Amino acid sequence: MTQIIKGHLQGEGMRVGIVVARFNEHITSKLLQGALEGLKAHSVAHEDIVVVWVPGSFELPSVAERLAQRGDFDAIICLGAVVKHETDHYYYVAGEAARGIAGVARESEVPVIFGVLTTENDEQALERAGGKEGNKGHDAALAAIEMVNVLRLVEEVR
Ligand code: INI
């Protein structure tokens, strides 16, 4: 029979680390709020959540890696907001954040979730941080729970 693996959203008993960038805090604090609400709505206990603030999105991968290496987190969520404005700096910060988080995700045993907004301006970012486009922090929380459950189910495949 075909085996179909689909992660569910039951987060009870999970321990989750959130790494959040202080740069553009007026946006990232909303992403954090969305992530905390998402985790709590899916039964992750507040004492099982650790939030680590870092200076900017560039620093997300290194702290995510440290948390993942500890071995006592089921998932790590990275939250940031990289806003383009008028310089090329955006490309370096967004590129390294994406590359770094993808690298940690591949190399660690636990899911590492990319909850970093990359937008042209503040308005677009705020629309995705609890505005009309939803809250990508909330989405990241659900992705984390789903991935923990997917990986557990994949372990059980025979
Ligand atoms: N960090 C962000 O998270 N978002 C940005 O938009 C941003 N911009 O545009 O500069 C940003 N820069 C800081 C960077 O992430 C590092 O903290 C800094 O370069 C120190 O390493």
Side-chain angles (χ1 to χ4, degrees):
M1 204 170 82
T2 306
Q3 295 187 63
I4 298 175
I5 311 282
K6 198 171 178 195
H8 54 82
L9 291 175
Q10 177 51 254
E12 199 173 344
M14 288 181 189
R15 188 154 196 261
V16 178
I18 302 178
V19 193
V20 55
R22 195 165 39 70
F23 203 100
N24 287 326
E25 189 170 342
H26 62 296
I27 301 164
T28 61
S29 59
K30 293 179 188 291
L31 294 175
L32 176 60
Q33 188 186 337
L36 293 172
E37 285 169 9
L39 292 175
K40 285 173 193 168
H42 292 88
S43 308
V44 178
H46 63 88
E47 62 268 26
D48 288 330
I49 303 170
V50 175
V51 177
V52 183
W53 286 90
V54 297
S57 295
F58 188 86
E59 283 75 32
L60 292 169
S62 52
V63 175
E65 185 173 40
R66 292 287 182 94
L67 290 179
Q69 283 169 348
R70 287 174 55 99
D72 55 355
F73 287 98
D74 294 296
I76 314 293
I77 299 169
C78 297
L79 301 175
V82 190
V83 179
K84 194 159 176 231
H85 298 301
E86 60 280 337
T87 72
D88 279 355
H89 196 60
Y90 164 94
Y91 294 104
Y92 295 98
V93 175
E96 284 311 314
R99 229 185 324 274
I101 291 166
V104 180
R106 276 195 305 273
E107 282 156 30
S108 61
E109 297 281 312
V110 298
V112 182
I113 304 299
F114 184 70
V116 180
L117 298 175
T118 55
T119 61
E120 293 281 324
N121 51 48
D122 270 28
E123 189 188 353
Q124 288 176 347
L126 287 164
E127 282 170 357
R128 290 158 179 78
K132 68 177 189 211
E133 300 291 339
N135 188 315
K136 301 301 172 195
H138 186 274
D139 295 351
L142 271 52
I145 295 169
E146 183 176 346
M147 279 300 292
V148 173
N149 288 318
V150 166
L151 293 178
R152 286 177 182 171
L153 292 169
V154 165
E155 285 294 307
E156 291 165 14
V157 170
R158 283 188 286 129

